[in-house]
């Protein structure tokens, strides 16, 4: 997951480099190998390229404020990271708002806020100026 503007810019640059590399490799391999061999040879590089492209697209969506829905709080950590990105805050700026060290926010985000308490999540949401609403949908009657 891309977590900063600097990482985003580096990823975009890397995408351009990888695109050119794949194109050149495909051309060179096609001179001596068949289409199936070319495809197999480039598959790992193209998989990396697609993952990087997906990461860039996710970061761009977050910057536009497009977030995935949560279900039973699954994905809360990535949402908190995305909200910080959307607000245009650095990890240091969020840390300052929370009264903690940047290293703590960095560790939390690296672990995608795994095992975060609801109290801490609420403090982060407050610091980001976000009101998170939930909806309860009962799927079936539970027998006691």
């Amino acid at each position: 997951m891309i977590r900063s503007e600097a990482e985003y810019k580096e990823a975009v640059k890397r995408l351009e480099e990888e695109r050119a590399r794949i194109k050149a490799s495909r051309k060179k391999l096609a001179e001596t190998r068949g289409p199936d061999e070319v495809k197999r040879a480039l598959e790992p590089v193209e998989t990396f390229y697609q993952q990087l492209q997906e990461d860039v697209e996710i970061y761009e969506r977050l910057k536009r404020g497009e977030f995935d829905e949560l279900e039973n709080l699954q994905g809360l950590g990535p949402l908190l990271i995305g909200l910080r990105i959307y607000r245009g805050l650095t990890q240091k700026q969020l840390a300052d708002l929370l009264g903690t060290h940047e290293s703590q926010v960095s560790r939390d985000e690296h672990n995608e806020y795994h095992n975060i308490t609801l109290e801490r999540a609420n403090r982060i949401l407050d610091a980001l100026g976000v009101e998170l609403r939930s909806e309860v949908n009962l799927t079936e009657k539970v027998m006691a």
Side-chain angles (χ1 to χ4, degrees), residues 26-70:
R26 179 173 281 114
K27 184 178 178 180
K28 185 169 176 79
L29 288 169
E31 293 172 1
T32 59
R33 299 182 185 182
D36 289 342
E37 288 180 282
V38 171
K39 182 180 178 183
R40 274 194 307 274
L42 292 177
E43 193 171 304
V45 178
E46 288 181 334
T47 299
F48 170 78
Y49 176 84
Q50 290 168 353
Q51 179 61 52
L52 187 58
Q53 188 173 33
E54 183 179 311
D55 288 349
V56 166
E57 289 169 0
I58 290 169
Y59 186 83
E60 289 171 345
R61 278 192 8 244
L62 294 174
K63 290 210 36 126
R64 289 191 303 266
E66 298 172 15
F67 305 102
D68 294 331
E69 287 187 16
L70 295 181

Side-chain angles (χ1 to χ4, degrees), residues 3-4 7 81 84 90-95 98 100-114 120 124:
R3 292 181 176 82
S4 70
E7 287 181 13
I81 296 166
R84 177 189 57 77
T90 64
Q91 290 178 340
K92 169 128 181 50
Q93 290 169 322
L94 177 58
L98 294 170
T100 189
H101 295 282
E102 179 182 2
S103 61
Q104 181 63 52
V105 173
S106 178
R107 270 193 310 275
D108 286 344
E109 288 194 1
H110 179 74
N111 294 319
E112 295 188 345
Y113 290 99
H114 185 70
R120 179 139 168 79
I124 294 166

Side-chain angles (χ1 to χ4, degrees), residues 120-132:
R120 179 139 168 79
N122 201 40
R123 283 186 58 226
I124 294 166
L125 290 168
D126 286 346
L128 294 170
V130 174
E131 181 180 303
L132 187 64

